[in-house]
Structures are given as structure tokens and as C-alpha cells.
Amino acid sequence: MTAYVTEPTRRTPVLGEWEVVVLGGGPAGLAAATAAARAGRTTLLVEKSGYLGGAGTGGGLSTFCGMYSNVHGEHVLTVRGHATELLERIDRLGGLRAPHLSFGDRIQAQAYDIPAYRSAADDQVLSSGAQLLYHAFAVGAVTGETTVDGIVVESKSGRGVLRAGMVIDCSGDGDLLAWTGTAHEKADPHGTMLYPSTMFRINAVDDERAGPAWKILPRLMDEAVAAGRPRFPRRGAIVRPQRDAIEWRANATQLRNPDGSAVDGTDVWQLTHGEVQGRAQAQEVFGFIRENLPGFEGAYIVDIGPEIGIRETRRLIGRYLLTEEDVRSCARFEDSIGLNGWPVEAHVDGDLDIRWPYGDDPVGYNQLPYRMLVPSEGPGNLLVAGRCASMTHDGQSAARVAGPCFAMGQAAGTAAHLALKDRVSAADVDVTALRAELEAEGACLTL
């Protein structure tokens, strides 16, 4: 039997009012807040941690995926605008390594230094005129008949309400979708979600002796399992050098519940289980790396991600759902607000399944339609950007990475400004005007 406690009725103070409130400070959130504030809107970015960057900082990811597309064999930077400005800020702090090739040299990714990213993100958002509210955990929403009127937060200062004209859900987990009853889904039709991971970084690597260790490690792991070693958390482990060659990142874990299902990032008990399991897996895999990879004999784990990296939970059911077919057929949309060049990267049970665009010489990217940011029904002043935007399970396996999230965020922040300017709902934003604003701010909508 479930027990309940009745809490006394309370009056919750309003902490302030802004034209735009953005929930979540990952790539989508920091881009959305920057865009809205630069358009002249009073803007607040709310983040539960003490820094921005989402999984790219708190999850220890340290690599931007999806910034580049393989366009007929040429690696092209296709996510531009506020995202490329952020790269420049990180570079000025000495935090970028030259882009590297991934997945059989078919796509480029961009490694960075995590502290530099945190500092650069602070600077970019604050210089835009937006305000930051750190260490505030959103716990609910205040709703009107057709609007989200505010977000309820808890913090060391207590409970309070943040009132907003337009609200952008960049929480990753689609928290506002749940609290407002906006249509959403979770997992694939069979109840399966992408498996999370715990990232870790390795220091004191002899880079010359290590060579292209990322090409060797998967084979060594497969050979060890074939020889009788218990299977690793997953196949397809990834190790790559970071800003300095003595430090490498490792993406080699996979977090599951005792029944084998993926850890659910919206369940606090499963999250707790995943955190403990992830650290144990990191130590297990690192032990194998140190014993078997040249150049790693004197290495050690310098950092394990402070939070596990959640890849998928709630997803908006919007006016358009981006699909795997869209990604692999390099789909075009008249309401394009950005590009995605990352393949379908499905973290399935015990393995990593990469599915590329069709054909021998594909254009290498799909467009992202504005409609995937707009709820199919529900609050008229709500936009959704990032990995909780409107995508199918398989479509989200591609467009959840940092590059397209930056693009979605910039579009959502700009659309919020236009909705306020024209006094219309998110669904009725003038898409032609939106696209013009995005291009004026350097975004790439097509090639």
C-alpha cells in the first residue's frame, strides 16, 4: 500500500517575470537564451547545476558531435551561428583540439576542454544580456487555460515561481511536457530507450606509443570475449585524445537495470543505480585498457563524469516528428531552421548501431523543420528544443547530439522573440521571417 502525507496549502512567491524563460542549460538551452536575449527580450536561463553545457560538461562528454556533415566526401561545418561563436570563445581560452574523424573516418567531431567550455558558455549567455539562475531545480509549472504562465523551482533559497511570456523546454527530459500535459512519448513502440553511459577521462597517456588506439581497442575487446572473458558493458568502445595528447576520453560504458532495460533518466532510483554502476564499469573497462593498450601502462582515471549521460527520455509529439527515414534520406523541409549531419547512433543492448545516409555519395545532412519544436496541441507559448524535441526514437538517435541541439535552440529563442513581437502563438510564427533572422545571425539552413 502506498502511503501519503498531506502537505499544508502554501503561498509560493513570484521570483520575477521575464519575456522568455528557458529551462535547461545544455547546447539547446544556452543557444535559445542567447538568441532571445540578443533579439532584445528579457530572458532567464534556468539550470539545475552550477554550470552550462549539459552532458557536454556535467556528463563529461568533452566532444561536440553533429557540428560537421560529410557532404559528398567533404567535411563541412554545417552548424553555424551562435554555435560557431561559442567554438571561437572556447578556442580563445585554448580549449579546442583540431576536429577528428570518427566511425571509420566517415564523420568529424570536435574535442574540447570542459572547463573552457563552461567559462565560454557563461560569457556567451551573459554577454547576450540574458540572466542565469543556477542551482534551481524546476519541479512544476503554473498553467493558464492555453499558456504556461510560469515555472516552479526549488533551491537553497526555497520555492518560487518564474513567470514568463514564452517558455522554452530545453530540459532534455521534457519536464515541462510532463507537467503541462503536453503530448509526448518515451521510448520506442516496444518500450526500449537508448542506453545511457558514464564518461571518463584518462591521463598520463604516452600518445606516441598509443597511436590510433581507438582503432585497436574494439578488436582487442572482441578477442578477449571470444577467448572467454565475460562480456564488456558494450561493444564499440571509443577512446580519443583530448585537448592535450596525454589526456584521452573514454566512451565505453552502458547502464542497465537488473532486468536488462535501459536506465530511465526520469526515475531517481534508476538514476542512483546507474551512477554507481557507471563508475564501476569505468574502472572495469579502464583496467582492461591499461593492461592491453600500448601507451596506457602508466595512465590513470583523472575524472569520471559527475552525472551519467542520458540519451533519451521524453520526446515531444509535435507538428512534425523527425524520423530515421528523414535522417538517412537527407530530407529537405521548407521550414528548415538548421542542419543535422550526424548518423543514426543507436545505443542498443550491449552494442552501438550506426546507420548512415542511403547511397554511395549522399549529400550528408538532413534539414530540421521548425515544426519539430512546436507542440501539436497544448500551451501556445511553449517551444521545445534539444533531445526532447519532436522526433521518433530512431530519428532522435541522430539529432540528439550537440550540433543539431545548438541549431534547434537558436531557432527556438528567435521564434520566441517573433511570437512576442507579433503577439502570436509558437505555431503561428512567420517562418519566412524566422529563417531570415536565423540567416542574419549566421545560421546555416541549407547548402
Side-chain angles (χ1 to χ4, degrees):
M1 178 180 293
T2 302
Y4 294 94
V5 173
T6 300
E7 295 187 86
T9 301
R10 57 184 168 186
R11 301 176 68 190
T12 304
V14 174
L15 304 180
E17 185 169 350
W18 294 264
E19 291 177 295
V20 179
V21 174
V22 181
L23 178 60
L30 69 89
T34 299
R38 285 189 178 172
R41 299 298 168 182
T42 58
T43 303
L44 179 69
L45 176 54
V46 185
E47 168 55 43
K48 64 180 176 61
S49 302
Y51 46 82
L52 301 174
T57 52
L61 183 56
S62 67
T63 300
F64 292 133
C65 298
M67 300 290 289
Y68 289 83
S69 298
N70 185 336
V71 182
H72 300 305
E74 180 184 359
H75 300 285
V76 180
L77 182 68
T78 46
V79 176
R80 306 174 194 165
H82 298 335
T84 46
E85 180 183 329
L86 180 65
L87 290 181
E88 292 167 0
R89 290 177 186 272
I90 297 172
D91 194 31
R92 287 197 293 271
L93 295 173
L96 288 187
R97 184 181 175 90
H100 61 269
L101 292 169
S102 294
F103 301 143
D105 296 344
R106 291 189 65 172
I107 194 78
Q108 276 192 341
Q110 173 68 68
Y112 57 83
D113 175 69
I114 289 175
Y117 179 16
R118 287 174 172 162
S119 296
D122 281 346
D123 185 42
Q124 180 145 326
V125 171
L126 292 174
S127 66
S128 74
Q131 289 179 263
L132 286 170
L133 182 62
Y134 283 141
H135 302 292
F137 201 98
V139 296
V142 178
T143 57
E145 187 174 339
T146 60
T147 57
V148 183
D149 296 335
I151 298 174
V152 183
V153 296
E154 294 271 12
S155 71
K156 289 290 186 180
S157 301
R159 190 176 178 93
V161 174
L162 311 169
R163 289 204 177 276
M166 293 292 296
V167 179
I168 307 176
D169 188 347
C170 300
S171 65
D173 292 319
D175 291 332
L176 282 172
L177 303 179
W179 298 330
T180 60
T182 302
H184 63 278
E185 60 186 0
K186 190 164 67 171
D188 68 6
H190 307 290
T192 301
M193 288 185 289
L194 299 178
Y195 283 79
S197 294
T198 295
M199 300 290 298
F200 62 98
R201 289 182 291 135
I202 303 167
N203 209 352
V205 177
D206 184 336
D207 184 55
E208 289 189 7
R209 294 191 63 243
W214 56 90
K215 296 182 178 180
I216 300 169
L217 179 60
R219 174 178 57 80
L220 294 178
M221 294 172 73
D222 286 345
E223 290 173 354
V225 172
R229 186 194 186 283
R231 82 169 190 170
F232 291 92
R234 78 169 212 222
R235 296 183 69 244
I238 300 169
V239 290
R240 297 296 304 223
Q242 291 304 109
R243 166 63 180 80
D244 290 306
I246 63 168
E247 182 176 293
W248 290 48
R249 72 176 176 94
N251 184 348
T253 67
Q254 192 177 86
L255 311 180
R256 55 180 54 80
N257 295 308
D259 67 359
S261 63
V263 163
D264 183 346
T266 65
D267 184 308
V268 69
W269 296 106
Q270 292 187 35
L271 281 169
T272 301
H273 169 76
E275 295 284 7
V276 175
Q277 183 185 55
R279 287 188 281 272
Q281 288 185 5
Q283 297 291 349
E284 173 197 356
V285 175
F286 174 65
F288 181 84
I289 289 172
R290 185 170 52 191
E291 293 172 8
N292 291 277
L293 279 181
F296 287 80
E297 296 88 350
Y300 62 95
I301 293 180
V302 68
D303 185 51
I304 296 176
E307 299 178 2
I308 64 178
I310 300 295
R311 293 186 170 91
E312 179 188 20
T313 51
R314 304 183 191 100
R315 291 173 279 106
L316 171 70
I317 297 177
R319 297 193 169 227
Y320 188 87
L321 276 82
L322 189 79
T323 68
E324 176 181 355
E325 182 66 20
D326 292 331
V327 174
R328 301 189 68 191
S329 64
C330 301
R332 300 289 182 271
F333 301 97
E334 291 185 356
D335 59 340
S336 167
I337 47 81
L339 307 181
N340 166 59
W342 202 248
V344 173
E345 180 189 334
H347 288 255
V348 298
D349 188 11
D351 209 344
L352 180 60
D353 182 14
I354 306 297
R355 302 194 286 273
W356 297 94
Y358 301 126
D360 296 329
D361 186 27
V363 69
Y365 66 86
N366 64 276
Q367 294 179 325
L368 303 167
Y370 173 64
R371 288 165 291 162
M372 67 185 291
L373 312 182
V374 182
S376 58
E377 56 185 26
N381 66 333
L382 174 64
L383 286 155
V384 183
R387 68 173 172 86
C388 52
S390 182
M391 301 175 270
T392 65
H393 168 77
D394 293 310
Q396 196 259 11
S397 298
R400 61 179 170 76
V401 297
C405 287
F406 280 127
M408 285 186 265
Q410 183 170 346
T414 306
H417 155 65
L418 292 175
L420 291 167
K421 173 177 173 287
D422 296 335
R423 298 184 179 183
V424 297
S425 69
D428 293 326
V429 164
D430 183 338
V431 176
T432 300
L434 171 61
R435 286 166 50 82
E437 292 266 1
L438 291 172
E439 289 184 319
E441 288 291 315
C444 180
L445 310 186
T446 191
L447 287 179

